Structures are given as C-alpha cells and as structure tokens.
C-alpha cells in the first residue's frame, strides 16, 4: 500500500460574486413577488456572497462539466499536464444530464487520452466519495495519480421560472417557517463552483497534504430522506420518483425542485455527524488536541455553533479559533464546498509541516457523513 498526497488544489468560481441584495435580480421573483423567506434565511445562514453560472443579464455562462474542467485546469503545469492524468473521479449532486455520467462529460472537455473514470452521485458527500475513490486507487497502486473533483451548478435549478407554476404561500412564514423551508429556503443557500485536487503517491512542491485516512457513514437504514430532488415525499416518508408523475405534475408540483425536510435536519444532522466523527477519531486513535485545523462543511452559520456544542458533548473539544470556514465568502457549494475550503487553506501560505487537518462533511440527503484526516508535508 502506498502513501497518498494532495499535491495541488484548484478551483473555479464563475463570474463576479453576487451579494445578498443582487440575488433576486438574477434568480427572479416567484409570482412577481419579492420573497419574504430571503431576508429570514440570509439572516441565519451568514452568507454574504455567492457565485452563479448566470451573469447579471440573466445569461447562463457555464454548465457543471465546464465549471469542473476549469477547476481541473488549475492543476496543470510544466511538470504535470492533462496527458499525465491516470484517473478522473468526479462528484456532484447537479450533473448536467441523467447520463452520460458527469465524469464522462468532464473527460470529453479535457480532450486528452483514455483514462479511468468514476462518477459519484449524492449530495454533499459526492465530492468526498470521489476523493475516496481516487485515494484508494493511488493507495492500492492501481494508479500513480488521480484527479478528484467536487462541483455544483445549482443556480439554474433556483430560477423563478421553475416555480411559477406553483405559487408558494408565504404569508405565515414568520409563524411557520417550515412552509417556506421545504422548497424555497434553498434558493437563498446554494452557490455554483468547482474544486479539484491532484492526488499522487509522492509529495510535490512546498506543501502537500498526506491523506492519513478517510471514513464514511450512512444512516439510511434508520432514517427517511431529508433533502431530495426529482420526486416528492409521501405521507409514509417514502419518495415517489419523478418518473411516476405526469409531465403536468412536474411543473405544477415543482417535482424537480430541491426540497429540505427541516424538522428532520434539525433533529438529526448535528448529532449523527458528531457521533460519526467520534467513531472515526476513536478508530484511528486521534485526540482532539492533535487537530490544528477543523474544516467542517456547514450549510449555514446557524449550524456552526450547534456543531461545536454537539462535538463538545462527545468530549471532542476543538476551539473555534482552529476552525477554517469560507461559507460567508463563497456560499454553500454542496459537493464542492470541502474542496474550496481545502484549496483556500492549501494555497494560503499558512500551513506548516506536521500540522493536522480534520475534514467533516455531512450530507442530509438521507444522512451520510464523510470524515478525513490530513497531515501537512
């Protein structure tokens, strides 16, 4: 078995950053009415800027595969080109097509040579699952390198025109926010972008990150879906897929919109994430005191303090001055978020050899968690 290192990290964020006041100008008004949910959601999530693959004139500028390819291009140099890539592993929750796979579409844009592909679906853990595939490929000796990505293009899912056949009643939002949260609150949460890592069996350059281990957990055997799209939840908690609805229902019920069961989210996401983190740390004999940087993917500042106290209840005390977050600057970019955090820290000049990074990525789809432990080399 071989050691595995993240030797380069790249990103691509489309167009100019979009401020809170500009969001509705780009995404549009549902039923020609300004949203009451927007103000409340933004107050809680703490996001100040995000990026859309839509310009300020409403023109779509990139698809998901293009965003991903542009992030991958940041990994190239004189000593590593597109023709050196052996494995391409891509994760996203918003592929451009049902099929071919997202990885195939990205490979088509790379225009290099035949290589091994992996496409990971899901929600936020899709990017970590893509990373684990590349990690295991290099670790086993199957390949000497792998390019792994996480990406999203969510903005076009959130355009008002996608909802105008179903006017959501928000009059009682202040008293019952759950009404807005199911379908609308994610309009004010999600962002577009892509991140990419180069994994190799040897360190490279001034800074590399050795992947010590990766662990994943799923609780789908216990819990129903919490975040979902392309279907709707029935009273018994099961999901009815889009294929079982008529085309008329697709529009009238916004079947393809992204939905969140906030009651389930609030009840389980932090505790199960903290349980998973404790299991991973205990399995590998890591004490919280050894961790120099915690990079948690949180969808909202609202959950940041909850995560801190949930970890503390399990005797995992990582002071908040060790946390590294960029949510307020780039928004919630789903499967790409952890890549964007690592990329920013990797290229910041702050890292010192021997420091330890803990990555925690929750996925509320049906409650999955991915955790990784890295050493600066």
């Amino acid at each position: 078995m071989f050691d595995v290192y993240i030797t380069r990290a790249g990103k691509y964020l489309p167009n100019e950053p979009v401020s809170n006041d500009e969001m509705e100008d780009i995404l549009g008004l549902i039923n020609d009415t300004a949203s009451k949910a927007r103000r409340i959601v933004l107050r809680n999530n703490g996001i100040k800027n995000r990026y859309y693959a839509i310009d300020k004139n409403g023109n779509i500028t990139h698809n998901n595969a293009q965003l991903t390819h542009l992030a991958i291009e940041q990994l190239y140099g004189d000593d590593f080109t597109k023709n050196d890539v052996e494995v391409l592993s891509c994760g996203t929750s918003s592929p451009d097509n049902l099929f071919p796979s997202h990885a195939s579409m990205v490979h088509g844009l790379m225009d290099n040579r035949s290589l091994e592909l992996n496409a990971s679906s899901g929600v936020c853990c899709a990017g970590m699952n893509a990373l684990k595939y590349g990690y295991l490929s290099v670790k086993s000796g199957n390949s000497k390198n792998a390019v792994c990505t996480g990406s999203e293009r969510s903005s076009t899912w959130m355009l008002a025109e996608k909802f105008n056949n179903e006017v959501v009643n928000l009059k009682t939002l202040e008293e019952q926010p759950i009404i807005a949260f199911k379908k609308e609150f994610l309009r004010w949460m999600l962002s577009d972008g892509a991140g990419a890592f180069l994994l190799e069996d040897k360190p490279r350059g001034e800074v590399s990150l050795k992947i010590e281990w990766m662990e994943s957990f799923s609780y789908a055997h216990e819990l129903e879906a919490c975040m979902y799209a392309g279907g709707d939840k029935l009273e018994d908690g099961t999901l009815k897929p889009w294929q079982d609805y008529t085309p008329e229902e697709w529009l009238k019920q916004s079947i393809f919109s992204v939905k969140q069961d906030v009651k389930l989210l609030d009840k389980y996401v932090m505790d199960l994430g903290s349980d998973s983190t404790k299991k991973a740390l205990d399995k590998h004999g890591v004490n919280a005191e050894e961790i120099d940087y915690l990079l948690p993917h949180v969808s909202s500042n609202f959950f940041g303090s909850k995560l801190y106290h949930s970890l503390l209840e399990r005797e995992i005390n990582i002071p908040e001055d060790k946390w590294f977050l960029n949510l307020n600057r780039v928004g919630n970019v789903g499967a790409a978020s952890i890549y964007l955090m690592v990329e920013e820290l990797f290229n910041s000049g702050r890292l010192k050899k021997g420091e330890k990074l803990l990555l925690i990525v929750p996925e509320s789809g049906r409650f999955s968690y991915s955790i990784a432990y890295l050493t600066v080399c």
Side-chain angles (χ1 to χ4, degrees):
M1 304 294 279
F2 296 84
D3 290 336
V4 185
Y5 302 86
I6 299 172
T7 58
R8 286 181 180 164
K11 69 181 177 187
Y12 187 79
L13 299 171
N15 303 314
E16 296 297 318
V18 176
S19 70
N20 291 350
D21 292 336
E22 296 172 303
M23 295 178 73
E24 211 157 20
D25 292 336
I26 295 174
L27 297 181
L29 304 176
I30 295 177
N31 198 36
D32 296 322
T33 304
S35 169
K36 294 181 180 179
R38 184 179 69 87
R39 181 183 67 257
I40 296 168
V41 173
L42 290 170
R43 186 169 65 224
N44 285 320
N45 68 27
I47 299 171
K48 304 299 182 186
N49 286 295
R50 75 281 300 144
Y51 292 82
Y52 292 148
I54 306 172
D55 67 23
K56 294 184 179 181
N57 295 316
N59 302 306
I60 296 172
T61 58
H62 305 78
N63 62 27
N64 192 330
Q66 289 168 333
L67 294 172
T68 308
H69 178 234
L70 289 165
I72 291 171
E73 287 192 318
Q74 306 306 307
L75 306 177
Y76 300 150
D78 293 338
D79 54 351
F80 186 84
T81 71
K82 64 182 182 180
N83 291 314
D84 296 315
V85 179
E86 297 182 21
V87 174
L88 176 64
S89 183
C90 301
T92 188
S93 61
S94 53
D96 299 316
N97 319 284
L98 294 177
F99 49 81
S101 76
H102 176 56
S104 291
M105 303 308 291
V106 175
H107 184 213
L109 294 174
M110 291 170 69
D111 189 28
N112 51 355
R113 63 183 183 87
S114 178
L115 47 74
E116 181 179 348
L117 294 179
N118 173 64
S120 296
S121 62
V123 196
C124 298
C125 284
M128 287 289 273
N129 293 340
L131 178 60
K132 190 164 187 178
Y133 186 95
Y135 162 69
L136 293 175
S137 178
V138 176
K139 190 167 186 64
S140 66
N142 174 71
S143 61
K144 290 186 178 299
N145 68 64
V147 167
C148 304
T149 70
S151 64
E152 301 292 358
R153 193 192 72 170
S154 303
S155 59
T156 52
W157 291 38
M158 306 300 167
L159 292 171
E161 63 190 31
K162 303 293 199 306
F163 296 86
N164 279 338
N165 282 277
E166 179 194 356
V167 177
V168 180
N169 182 3
L170 299 179
K171 292 181 179 178
T172 58
L173 178 59
E174 292 287 355
E175 294 76 22
Q176 294 178 293
I178 190 68
I179 294 173
F181 274 25
K182 181 180 179 181
K183 291 185 179 179
E184 200 197 1
F185 114 107
L186 287 167
R187 292 188 81 213
W188 318 119
M189 300 283 289
L190 302 180
S191 183
D192 298 344
F197 296 158
L198 171 59
L199 273 54
E200 297 184 275
D201 58 4
K202 296 179 178 61
R204 178 195 291 268
E206 294 184 4
V207 175
S208 292
L209 299 175
K210 181 183 178 184
I211 303 177
E212 301 288 354
W213 46 260
M214 297 186 71
E215 297 288 346
S216 301
F217 303 86
S218 168
Y219 298 90
H221 65 300
E222 297 177 352
L223 298 169
E224 64 192 55
C226 174
M227 184 178 180
Y228 51 97
D232 214 349
K233 186 181 284 193
L234 304 180
E235 289 186 7
D236 63 0
T238 60
L239 293 184
K240 181 177 177 180
W242 64 269
Q243 301 100 317
D244 296 350
Y245 288 90
T246 66
E248 291 77 17
E249 289 173 319
W250 295 350
L251 292 173
K252 289 180 180 178
Q253 299 182 40
S254 302
I255 293 300
F256 291 96
S257 66
V258 184
K259 309 169 189 70
Q260 185 96 64
D261 187 328
V262 183
K263 289 182 179 178
L264 281 176
L265 182 71
D266 190 54
K267 186 174 182 180
Y268 294 110
V269 70
M270 289 299 112
D271 284 344
L272 291 178
S274 300
D275 286 344
S276 300
T277 302
K278 181 170 176 54
K279 289 177 185 176
L281 294 178
D282 288 350
K283 177 179 177 179
H284 293 277
V286 175
N287 296 316
E289 293 77 14
E290 301 173 48
I291 298 165
D292 297 289
Y293 289 96
L294 172 63
L295 283 68
H297 168 45
V298 291
S299 60
S300 168
N301 282 347
F302 174 78
F303 289 114
S305 60
K306 285 198 161 195
L307 176 61
Y308 174 77
H309 291 291
S310 184
L311 290 171
L312 204 57
E313 288 172 1
R314 289 152 183 83
E315 299 182 342
I316 303 172
N317 184 7
I318 306 175
E320 292 186 77
D321 60 4
K322 291 186 175 183
W323 290 38
F324 184 85
L325 295 163
N326 58 8
L327 177 71
N328 65 325
R329 298 188 295 279
V330 302
N332 177 4
V333 203
S337 287
I338 195 65
Y339 284 77
L340 297 175
M341 279 188 277
V342 172
E343 185 278 335
E344 186 173 331
L345 187 57
F346 184 96
N347 292 316
S348 68
R350 293 170 52 178
L351 294 176
K352 298 178 177 62
K353 293 188 185 301
E355 289 182 325
K356 304 291 187 179
L357 283 64
L358 181 68
L359 318 183
I360 302 177
V361 179
E363 174 179 300
S364 61
R366 198 160 176 175
F367 297 101
S368 301
Y369 299 85
S370 292
I371 299 159
Y373 194 56
L374 315 178
T375 300
V376 182
C377 299

